[in-house]
Amino acid sequence: KQEVTQIPAALSVPEGENLVLNCSFTDSAIYNLQWFRQDPGKGLTSLLLIQSSQREQTSGRLNASLDKSSGRSTLYIAASQPGDSATYLCAALGGSYIPTFGRGTSLIVHP
Amino acid sequence: DAGVIQSPRHEVTEMGQEVTLRCKPISGHDYLFWYRQTMMRGLELLIYFNNNVPIDDSGMPEDRFSAKMPNASFSTLKIQPSEPRDSAVYFCASSLKGIAGELFFGEGSRLTVL
């Protein structure tokens, strides 16, 4: 059974800081790793999808990396802004199991 | 594309009543997933379909829950009878490339059972 853990569970930082959110998974035989953002009362918005053949993906101030051998992915947020405040979830996709989510990291960026 | 569409967005009902949640996946996506999100358990997969056929319903908590996908553009999740512990946000997601493909979520249906 795949298990996904996200650390830290919560994070509060001042505006402008560079952040690293961590996602670890127990079974490295995944196909893809997807990062999502969830705002309160809303659905999950896809941020980045890293395919198993890739090591990282970038979108604007976001950069996600994937190290399958160590069972880890990181989401790097550069120059954080108050609008980045949300919960960030990662999901391990593929292999021999259903899509499996971590519990998320709740991020607050204060002005 | 309109994305994954769910209805209703909010549902408040009394214990014992039947609840039906609806989902329209993204056109062309052949995988559809139903998830439940609670503070206690996070996101849990209830059931998923491939080409309208249920593939894995091991996450469905009890016989009170049932799901159907009569065609490629519509799915329902039904709870009968509902109980207070069913209160949660129910999400529908769709994918083009199987269980390893990129997931796209709807806005969710927030269910409160009194």
Side-chain angles (χ1 to χ4, degrees):
Chain A
K1 178 184 175 183
Q2 176 74 279
E3 294 183 0
V4 179
T5 303
Q6 292 190 244
I7 294 174
L11 191 58
S12 180
V13 300
E15 181 176 7
E17 281 204 4
N18 299 323
L19 309 172
V20 176
L21 308 182
N22 296 294
C23 171
S24 61
F25 42 94
T26 54
D27 188 337
S28 62
I30 66 171
Y31 288 2
N32 302 314
L33 194 291
Q34 190 171 0
W35 282 93
F36 296 85
R37 168 186 173 135
Q38 185 176 26
D39 293 286
K42 299 291 187 180
L44 282 70
T45 300
S46 180
L47 295 174
L48 291 164
L49 175 75
I50 312 174
Q51 298 179 12
S52 59
S53 58
Q54 302 170 319
R55 292 193 63 85
E56 64 178 67
Q57 278 282 2
T58 297
S59 176
R61 293 182 294 107
L62 304 179
N63 175 275
S65 65
L66 174 63
D67 184 345
K68 287 182 57 179
S69 62
S70 65
R72 293 183 179 181
S73 177
T74 59
L75 179 66
Y76 177 81
I77 303 176
S80 59
Q81 303 172 356
D84 295 330
S85 299
T87 297
Y88 292 81
L89 297 99
C90 65
L93 308 176
S96 57
Y97 44 80
I98 59 175
T100 306
F101 283 79
R103 297 296 300 271
T105 294
S106 177
L107 172 65
I108 297 175
V109 181
H110 47 87
Chain B
D1 198 316
V4 177
I5 299 172
Q6 292 187 247
S7 64
R9 289 294 315 279
H10 302 275
E11 175 89 4
V12 179
T13 190
E14 293 188 347
M15 182 174 63
Q17 296 298 305
E18 178 179 294
V19 174
T20 299
L21 307 178
R22 300 172 178 80
C23 175
K24 175 179 170 56
I26 293 174
S27 177
H29 283 195
D30 54 355
Y31 279 77
L32 183 141
F33 304 81
W34 281 101
Y35 280 88
R36 178 171 68 177
Q37 186 178 43
T38 61
M39 289 293 291
M40 288 288 290
R41 302 174 68 92
L43 269 168
E44 303 173 279
L45 180 66
L46 301 177
I47 185 171
Y48 77 92
F49 295 83
N50 175 215
N51 289 324
N52 315 335
V53 177
I55 303 300
D56 184 348
D57 65 354
S58 60
M60 297 285 263
E62 302 172 31
D63 291 344
R64 298 183 297 106
F65 286 69
S66 63
K68 294 182 179 179
M69 192 164 186
N71 57 62
S73 59
F74 184 66
S75 177
T76 60
L77 178 67
K78 185 173 294 186
I79 308 172
Q80 167 62 18
S82 58
E83 296 183 3
R85 59 195 168 117
D86 301 331
S87 297
V89 182
Y90 291 81
F91 286 104
C92 176
S94 69
S95 168
L96 180 60
K97 297 182 180 179
I99 62 172
E102 187 173 7
L103 290 170
F104 295 87
F105 278 76
E107 288 291 302
S109 293
R110 180 175 295 275
L111 173 64
T112 302
V113 183
L114 303 175

